[in-house]
Amino acid sequence: MTGSLRRSVLTTALATVLATALPAPAHAASAPTAPAPPPDAWLAAQPARPSVSREQFYLLMPDRFANADPSNDRGGLSGDRYSTGYDPTDKNFYQGGDLKGIARRLDYIKGLGTTAIWLTPVFRNKTVLERGGKKTASYHGYAVTDFTSVDPHFGSERDLTDLISKAHAKGMKVYFDVITNHTADTVDYAEKKYGYRSKGAYPYLDASGRPFDDAEAMSKVDRDSFPYTPENTGEMVPEWLNDPTMYHNRGDSTFAGESALYGDFYGLDDLWTERPEVVQGMEKIYEKWVDDFDVDGFRVDTAKNVNMEFWTQWATALDAYAAKKGREDFFLFAEAFSADPAITAPYLTEGRLDGTLDFPLQSAIRNYASRGGPAGDLATVFAQDYRHTTDKTNAYSQVTFLGSHDMGRIGFFLKSDHPGAGDAELLRRDRLAHELMFLSRGNPVIYSGDEQGFTGAGDDVYGRQSMFASKVADYLDDDEIGTERTHASDAYDVRHPLYRSIAALSKLRKANPALADGVQKELYAGDSVYAFSRTGGGREYVVAVNNASAAKTVELPVESRGSGKFRF
């Protein structure tokens, strides 16, 4: 410790940010004496960082963001909603958003300070899915039948090229959400049963009928090698995906134990990712998207449901291919749904991906900012940042977020945690959560609509409201934070208090780059107060947050020497 700072920390209304200049490194006074090494603070001010450590993402679902071309609402199909997938009155069907709509709203997205747009899957999907007697549309993009083309509900390949080009012209990168774990449900079982059948009870059989363990070695198989007898409809593109032996064929996942890797994801056909043919096939699929579009990286879906060896091979191959095409900064980050860094970190250290969605930090920020949890929860997460360090990446590449299209919105969490709270309190807590995310290490994500105070009634489809005027009764019933508007009108209000707050945080990070990728060091973690410094560019910044209703005064150790004066 080279100094101290005593400061009253604000309550949940705002975070406190202070900055001061760091001392210059010490030098020798005479030639015979070797120069003294620079102090740790100076070394920390020159951090080596992965190329993607200062992005600001905006996550959007093409179907739910903006509708510029009503002619593609039905995807070129005719008939009722079970044929076209389109029904703007039902949250489970296509609402009409498209790629042209996103392109027309790029200034709105850029106004938040966005540097990277993350699109949920745009590949051609099976239009309508049926499960348990219920039919829903594939507006979400996760039931792919053709991995080589854009779903016509969203537009065309030309529309996608135009969107990427326009985004790049405005200084924003574009990331695709990609899937390697499963396809649409095009494989049925002759038995017409779908409960999970384990490897222990139903081992794989080779073409001669002898059991084998696919985790040890692969053997030649046929349709009789599986727990169920697969029958493929022939709908898939590329053609190799119509081979039913490329799938696990073990029935529906229970998301526990072995079934998490081998079971069908809510009926979607689980690829046999242990097979080299599948690894190579998925490499070629996504290499084509690198070839055909100037995409900046991929977010990979359901990483926990794929064997780690797949990621090691696939990520290494995609990185090498992108580099060969001049994309040295190509960025691969994964969805690994766990609040435990010991579970998420191996996707970097073993799987060779560049980052993961930071579920551990999301959980800690929600607990702290919404539930009033102890600062120690934040400290526990940041203390494990070392787990993410590899030869090419570290925790500063983590993609941080408060909510998503899968788990629900931060607004929903706030309302759930404070059912009797007024709008002013929810707005304060919402701002606090965003401030903590923006000022700590990682690349923050804004989920489309959060900047407009969207809440929703739960996860998944209950948190997938359209930004344009909705006709969905469930959405029209939502209360929103920071506004009196409802989902009956468009929501591109740049005057919304959360939009303005996020834009201001973005400007703060841009003006002070150390707040985006400077070294982070914990200064204090006690009861309701959490404080840390960000160091870079010859300056030390102190960030302190307090989730209590009363101000707190704490003394913080800082690197700056006694003569250094902090300023707001």
Side-chain angles (χ1 to χ4, degrees):
M1 182 194 309
T2 58
S4 65
L5 175 70
R6 189 173 179 83
R7 189 77 199 180
S8 293
V9 184
L10 301 180
T11 62
T12 53
L14 289 171
T16 299
V17 184
L18 305 104
T20 190
L22 287 169
H27 293 285
S30 58
T33 306
D40 289 344
W42 182 259
L43 294 173
Q46 311 295 330
R49 289 285 167 259
S51 58
V52 178
S53 60
R54 61 180 66 86
E55 301 294 350
Q56 179 183 326
F57 284 85
Y58 189 78
L59 161 62
L60 63 84
M61 305 188 77
D63 180 59
R64 304 293 162 105
F65 185 70
N67 187 359
D69 186 1
S71 71
N72 61 34
D73 289 354
R74 292 170 173 79
L77 303 170
S78 60
D80 64 13
R81 68 179 190 164
Y82 299 119
S83 298
T84 68
Y86 177 67
D87 182 355
T89 69
D90 191 324
K91 62 182 179 294
N92 292 294
F93 286 76
Y94 286 95
Q95 302 294 293
D98 49 43
L99 297 170
K100 288 181 180 177
I102 302 169
R104 289 187 184 180
R105 293 285 182 177
L106 286 177
D107 285 339
Y108 169 85
I109 298 172
K110 178 71 174 177
L112 285 164
T114 302
T115 64
I117 300 172
W118 160 16
L119 301 174
T120 56
V122 298
F123 317 115
R124 185 186 292 263
N125 270 234
K126 188 170 186 175
T127 303
V128 175
L129 304 172
E130 183 171 0
R131 195 70 181 163
K134 182 180 180 181
K135 293 183 177 181
T136 61
S138 299
Y139 68 90
H140 43 68
Y142 293 100
V144 181
T145 55
D146 183 351
F147 284 89
T148 68
S149 65
V150 171
D151 194 291
H153 288 88
F154 303 145
S156 66
E157 284 76 17
R158 183 175 180 176
D159 294 333
L160 184 58
T161 298
D162 182 61
L163 169 61
I164 295 172
S165 176
K166 288 179 177 177
H168 285 172
K170 292 182 181 293
M172 293 184 287
K173 299 178 181 178
V174 178
Y175 290 80
F176 289 175
D177 203 325
V178 302
I179 307 159
T180 63
N181 174 61
H182 58 264
T183 69
D185 185 7
T186 65
V187 176
D188 199 4
Y189 303 145
E191 294 81 1
K192 303 301 180 185
K193 295 180 179 179
Y194 307 96
Y196 186 78
R197 290 182 173 178
S198 69
K199 292 203 296 180
Y202 298 89
Y204 287 118
L205 306 177
D206 65 20
S208 300
R210 294 171 299 203
F212 71 94
D213 185 351
D214 67 318
E216 296 179 0
M218 279 294 170
S219 295
K220 186 176 181 179
V221 297
D222 56 29
R223 289 176 68 252
D224 297 323
S225 298
F226 300 91
Y228 291 108
T229 308
E231 300 174 336
N232 197 299
T233 63
E235 298 174 63
M236 296 300 304
V237 179
E239 177 60 32
W240 67 268
L241 290 166
N242 288 310
D243 181 351
T245 67
M246 294 295 108
Y247 300 83
H248 282 130
N249 299 315
R250 291 194 164 276
D252 291 343
S253 178
T254 65
F255 302 102
E258 172 193 295
S259 81
L261 290 177
Y262 285 83
D264 288 352
F265 195 87
Y266 295 108
L268 300 172
D269 299 333
D270 204 64
L271 284 161
W272 200 350
T273 49
E274 291 78 8
R275 295 195 68 89
E277 303 96 321
V278 173
V279 180
Q280 293 161 13
M282 281 292 160
E283 287 174 11
K284 292 185 182 302
I285 283 173
Y286 292 114
E287 285 172 357
K288 184 179 188 302
W289 288 94
V290 172
D291 269 341
D292 293 350
F293 298 90
D294 196 15
V295 63
D296 297 285
F298 296 147
R299 176 268 199 185
V300 292
D301 182 61
T302 53
K304 279 182 63 181
N305 304 108
V306 177
N307 57 304
M308 189 66 76
E309 295 82 1
F310 174 93
W311 295 124
T312 305
Q313 298 172 66
W314 184 85
T316 300
L318 262 294
D319 267 342
Y321 191 83
K324 186 170 67 174
K325 296 294 181 176
R327 319 276 179 79
E328 297 290 344
D329 294 338
F330 202 78
F331 184 63
L332 299 168
F333 66 104
E335 174 204 36
F337 205 145
S338 173
D340 184 353
I343 292 175
T344 60
Y347 292 95
L348 280 62
T349 56
E350 297 177 40
R352 303 301 291 166
L353 294 160
D354 300 307
T356 64
L357 284 170
D358 203 336
F359 284 94
L361 187 57
Q362 185 276 337
S363 178
I365 291 179
R366 178 194 175 176
N367 196 45
Y368 178 83
S370 182
R371 293 170 170 162
D377 289 353
L378 294 166
T380 297
V381 172
F382 290 127
Q384 298 182 72
D385 278 359
Y386 70 92
R387 294 182 182 274
H388 300 88
T389 302
T390 74
D391 60 315
K392 65 172 185 171
T393 192
N394 56 42
Y396 292 76
S397 284
Q398 287 292 85
V399 179
T400 57
F401 69 108
L402 301 177
S404 73
H405 60 305
D406 290 327
M407 71 186 311
R409 298 181 177 278
I410 180 61
F412 166 67
F413 302 143
L414 291 167
K415 287 181 68 67
S416 299
D417 296 338
H418 302 276
D423 188 68
E425 179 181 354
L426 295 175
L427 184 59
R428 284 198 302 272
R429 291 186 179 275
D430 206 325
R431 282 172 163 160
L432 178 64
H434 279 93
E435 288 163 354
L436 189 48
M437 176 176 69
F438 267 78
L439 299 174
S440 58
R441 62 99 181 107
N443 303 277
V445 176
I446 299 299
Y447 170 36
S448 174
D450 283 0
E451 77 279 11
Q452 294 293 330
F454 286 13
T455 56
D459 62 1
D460 200 79
V461 71
Y462 292 96
R464 296 175 176 177
Q465 303 89 339
S466 60
M467 293 289 285
F468 50 95
S470 179
K471 298 178 182 177
V472 176
D474 286 344
Y475 295 159
L476 295 175
D477 196 43
D478 288 346
D479 289 327
E480 299 177 24
I481 297 172
T483 180
E484 294 296 322
R485 69 169 293 279
T486 72
H487 287 291
S489 58
D490 291 351
Y492 307 102
D493 182 9
V494 298
R495 298 167 300 175
H496 189 286
L498 286 171
Y499 186 100
R500 295 202 312 267
S501 293
I502 292 166
L505 286 166
S506 303
K507 289 179 181 178
L508 182 65
R509 279 167 51 103
K510 185 175 182 179
N512 302 277
L515 292 174
D517 69 351
V519 171
Q520 181 167 320
K521 177 182 177 181
E522 183 176 294
L523 303 180
Y524 189 93
D527 298 324
S528 64
V529 175
Y530 189 72
F532 55 93
S533 64
R534 303 297 304 271
T535 305
R539 288 194 176 277
E540 179 181 17
Y541 298 81
V542 173
V543 180
V545 289
N546 175 23
N547 67 6
S549 58
K552 302 282 185 178
T553 300
V554 297
E555 186 169 309
L556 307 176
V558 293
E559 295 292 340
S560 303
R561 292 173 180 168
S563 59
K565 292 184 178 180
F566 281 84
R567 60 181 177 82
F568 283 103

